[in-house]
Amino acid sequence: MHKAVVGCSKTATSSVFKDNAIRRSCSLFTVSRKNREIATPKNVTSFNICRQIGATKISPLAVQEQPKFLQLSNINPNFVEMEYAVRGPLVVRAGEIEEEMKHGAIKPFDYVIRANIGDCQAMGQKPNTFLRQLLNLTFCPDLLDCAEYPDDVKDRAEEILEACQGGSVGSYTDSAGLEVVRRQVANYIERRDCINCDWRNVYLTDGATSGIKRILSLLNCEVNGKKPGVMVPIPQYPLYSATIAEYGMEKIGYYLEEETGWSLNPQELNRAINESSKNSVPRVIVVINPGNPTGQVLTRNNIEEIIKFAYNNKLLIMADEVYQPNIYDKKSQFFSFKKVVHDLGHPYNGMELVSFMSASKGFLGECGVRGGYYEIINVCPDVKAMLWKSITASLCSTTAGQVAISALVNPPDESEPSYEQYVNERDDVLASLKARAEIIYEIFSKFEGVHVKPIQGAMYVFPKIEIPPKAAAAAKAKNMPGDTFYAAELLENTGVCIVPGSGFGQKPFTSHFRSTILPQIPLLKEMMNRFKKFHTDFMKKYK
């Protein structure tokens, strides 16, 4: 086993694109009786039937006579309201298509390409050897005697194991994570920003998502009888809108300015906050930089404007900075909100701020390992104590995720044996992402009726599309937004799965879609060839 991990950077990539399974749930799209029969193996109850009668086989009459105690009318209405477009009905339909093809259904394509979600390794990215070796040694300490593992990886593994109860990553850690890893994160932040970082303000999490949800939960308090308001960029990553709906908070959308490369206009922030005052009390402003789904990188001037706006309106800043290594545009540069807050001096350097980072993105792409952290800055000690109390109730984040964060923030230095391979793998991934960003931008920019901005960072493209009149009418007849109709047609005809812009939010009377840039270059070119043919036919058909 350890030999495979040691050499994982040289392992040939399998055809993961074709065989990846996704979770199945109830589709909003109609499937013919014939295809349902093809897609459903014998003796397997369909999802819809399972939803009605559960796992036990009982008669339909019994179901009618004994309705389930839990109904939509008596569960938390926020769960009904909540939506998460990235794993929505189009993704469900993609899974149904895959199942249909496994059971003999003929499609105009050989396999589905899922460009709907930022899952790097699902799209063929090779795991980072240094990180996987560290995971292997910490989870199987017997391998510490193996000569094939470099000494710098062994040293780091031993340091982590010594910090674990019983010397095992199978034990609980402190609620905020292993102190040794929290100290490593603090050192990483200090190197990045050239300012002090107190490790006690660093909390390790299961990816960035759990930290984001915890901070929003902390703020979920009515003020003067009004809901707490959360300012989010539009378009936004649907985690925010879904969590806001789940918690019964109020979403305050502020539009990014597409015409200027998805920049942020301070006047738009003022408009959004002024219009929200009737329904809510704004508590926090969320900023995603580099942007998801838009791929923009905020300028330092833009960041300063946001900080001053937040100060004037007494808002906590939540800085989602998980894509900070993913910068492709030579003219763009990542500035952390912590660094800019510090450099602005009094009174802004006392701003309340939480910043988030993850091992799922960047160049590691370890989405399934679930490693992340957040740093809280300038928060009231009493509030910090309540946050700590909340964290203790969830015990701790996964130790695998904590090891991944250790690998992210404490990589080998120039004097260590793993350095050359680590740097080569890191640079290869980032160079390939940059090349893919350029390819996808160049191709989309030539499509009729498609308007796309250069991809400055992150892992996505978010083009605007002009929906032809007949297509708009066809979408209306199916009770769909135009961009959802476009994406559904694309999936059925080409097997390419994207996410309609309406799932992220967009300005009224505009249509967009989001695609990842993650397919490896041969698959990306195949995807774009399918896309190009479909788009040409679609525009001709519906003009």
Side-chain angles (χ1 to χ4, degrees):
M1 179 181 72
H2 69 273
K3 290 183 179 179
V5 176
V6 169
C8 68
S9 65
K10 299 178 182 178
T11 303
T13 304
S14 65
S15 57
V16 290
F17 337 106
K18 300 181 183 180
D19 299 324
N20 264 325
I22 67 171
R23 293 179 180 178
R24 299 288 306 280
S25 59
C26 182
S27 173
L28 299 185
F29 295 91
T30 303
V31 186
S32 69
R33 176 185 292 269
K34 179 180 179 182
N35 281 342
R36 281 202 303 272
E37 292 171 353
I38 291 172
T40 307
K42 293 180 180 179
N43 302 321
V44 177
T45 310
S46 73
F47 181 88
N48 285 335
I49 296 174
C50 285
R51 186 173 64 173
Q52 293 173 11
I53 67 173
T56 306
K57 190 174 181 180
I58 55 179
S59 72
L61 278 177
V63 174
Q64 294 175 7
E65 293 168 0
Q66 298 179 2
K68 296 299 181 183
F69 298 125
L70 295 180
Q71 300 288 334
L72 290 180
S73 59
N74 62 18
I75 64 170
N76 186 340
N78 295 334
F79 277 65
V80 181
E81 185 70 22
M82 181 178 62
E83 294 182 0
Y84 187 64
V86 173
R87 291 182 182 265
L90 279 168
V91 183
V92 174
R93 178 62 189 134
E96 291 175 345
I97 290 172
E98 288 178 326
E99 285 298 310
E100 291 168 11
M101 293 174 72
K102 285 179 184 178
H103 292 87
I106 305 300
K107 302 289 182 181
F109 45 87
D110 295 329
Y111 51 89
V112 170
I113 301 175
R114 289 186 284 122
N116 61 291
I117 196 166
D119 192 347
C120 308
Q121 293 185 30
M123 285 286 98
Q125 181 173 309
K126 295 177 182 178
N128 179 274
T129 302
F130 174 77
L131 182 150
R132 288 302 179 92
Q133 289 178 341
L134 186 60
L135 282 169
N136 216 31
L137 290 178
T138 50
F139 277 79
C140 189
D142 290 348
L143 296 177
L144 285 165
D145 295 328
C146 176
E148 294 185 55
Y149 286 89
D151 287 341
D152 53 344
V153 183
K154 291 180 179 180
D155 291 343
R156 285 165 170 78
E158 289 174 343
E159 186 178 23
I160 290 171
L161 290 170
E162 287 172 4
C164 294
Q165 297 290 329
S168 171
V169 289
S171 62
Y172 287 126
T173 71
D174 290 341
S175 296
L178 291 166
E179 180 179 325
V180 62
V181 180
R182 295 167 71 195
R183 287 183 179 273
Q184 290 170 355
V185 172
N187 291 335
Y188 164 82
I189 293 171
E190 287 182 353
R191 293 194 304 271
R192 183 193 69 190
D193 295 335
C194 299
I195 53 179
N196 291 333
C197 177
D198 186 341
W199 67 271
R200 290 165 294 191
N201 290 332
V202 172
Y203 301 82
L204 305 182
T205 58
D206 296 325
T209 297
S210 63
I212 290 166
K213 296 188 75 165
R214 186 173 300 280
I215 297 300
L216 288 176
S217 179
L218 180 72
L219 299 169
N220 194 7
C221 173
E222 284 192 359
V223 178
N224 299 325
K226 293 182 178 180
K227 291 182 179 181
V230 182
M231 298 191 70
V232 295
I234 301 296
Q236 50 93 40
Y237 175 42
L239 163 68
Y240 292 99
S241 56
T243 304
I244 291 165
E246 180 184 351
Y247 292 172
M249 304 171 83
E250 187 78 13
K251 184 181 76 173
I252 305 170
Y254 62 88
Y255 291 110
L256 301 178
E257 198 169 78
E258 185 170 8
E259 296 76 17
T260 56
W262 300 108
S263 67
L264 203 164
N265 189 329
Q267 293 179 352
E268 170 59 17
L269 290 177
N270 288 319
R271 178 207 63 78
I273 201 167
N274 290 336
E275 290 183 5
S276 71
S277 59
K278 293 181 181 179
N279 301 318
S280 65
V281 175
R283 305 292 309 283
V284 57
I285 181 169
V286 172
V287 186
I288 308 173
N289 182 46
N292 176 9
T294 51
Q296 94 287 1
V297 180
L298 292 177
T299 65
R300 186 183 179 102
N301 181 62
N302 233 180
I303 294 172
E304 290 179 358
E305 291 173 328
I306 295 166
I307 291 167
K308 291 175 182 178
F309 170 82
Y311 176 82
N312 292 333
N313 290 280
K314 299 181 180 179
L315 301 174
L316 170 72
I317 299 173
M318 289 178 62
D320 182 338
E321 299 174 330
V322 302
Y323 295 100
Q324 58 189 264
N326 300 97
I327 309 291
Y328 315 123
D329 180 24
K330 292 180 180 179
K331 297 178 182 178
S332 299
Q333 181 180 352
F334 172 77
F335 297 97
S336 75
F337 268 78
K338 180 180 182 179
K339 172 67 171 173
V340 180
V341 160
H342 172 271
D343 291 352
L344 281 174
H346 183 76
Y348 306 109
N349 57 4
M351 284 286 301
E352 293 156 276
L353 167 68
V354 187
S355 62
F356 302 87
M357 185 55 176
S358 172
S360 300
K361 309 304 177 183
F363 52 89
L364 296 181
E366 293 286 355
C367 296
V369 175
R370 308 310 301 135
Y373 73 79
Y374 60 92
E375 180 191 11
I376 61 172
I377 302 158
N378 297 325
V379 172
C380 167
D382 292 339
V383 173
K384 184 178 173 182
M386 295 303 103
L387 177 62
W388 177 264
K389 183 170 66 172
S390 169
I391 291 169
T392 59
S394 58
L395 298 176
C396 68
S397 60
T398 68
T399 49
Q402 294 185 41
V403 173
I405 287 298
S406 177
L408 172 67
V409 301
N410 190 33
D413 61 40
E414 294 182 23
S415 64
E416 294 182 307
S418 298
Y419 178 77
E420 184 176 353
Q421 183 178 18
Y422 175 85
V423 169
N424 287 339
E425 290 180 359
R426 178 198 66 192
D427 292 351
D428 284 350
V429 168
L430 293 175
S432 177
L433 284 168
K434 183 177 186 295
R436 284 175 266 169
E438 292 171 350
I439 289 170
I440 207 166
Y441 167 72
E442 181 180 349
I443 294 175
F444 273 138
S445 63
K446 296 177 181 177
F447 279 22
E448 178 190 359
V450 171
H451 309 275
V452 60
K453 299 297 178 185
I455 305 167
Q456 297 174 318
M459 298 176 174
Y460 313 99
V461 63
F462 197 68
K464 181 165 68 174
I465 178 170
E466 298 173 8
I467 303 296
K470 290 182 181 178
K476 186 176 180 180
K478 292 190 174 186
N479 198 27
M480 287 183 183
D483 48 18
T484 302
F485 178 76
Y486 180 89
E489 290 285 293
L490 175 72
L491 176 60
E492 296 292 343
N493 287 278
T494 71
V496 175
C497 183
I498 58 173
V499 188
S502 47
F504 299 90
Q506 54 197 349
K507 285 185 177 179
F509 312 111
T510 67
S511 296
H512 298 77
F513 62 84
R514 189 192 80 166
S515 171
T516 71
I517 63 170
L518 293 178
Q520 299 298 301
I521 287 179
L523 185 66
L524 184 71
K525 290 181 177 179
E526 166 67 18
M527 182 181 88
M528 295 309 296
N529 285 337
R530 295 188 193 183
F531 222 126
K532 183 177 180 181
K533 182 179 186 307
F534 164 80
H535 183 80
T536 301
D537 294 343
F538 182 90
M539 298 301 281
K540 287 180 179 177
K541 178 179 179 180
Y542 288 107
K543 265 191 175 178

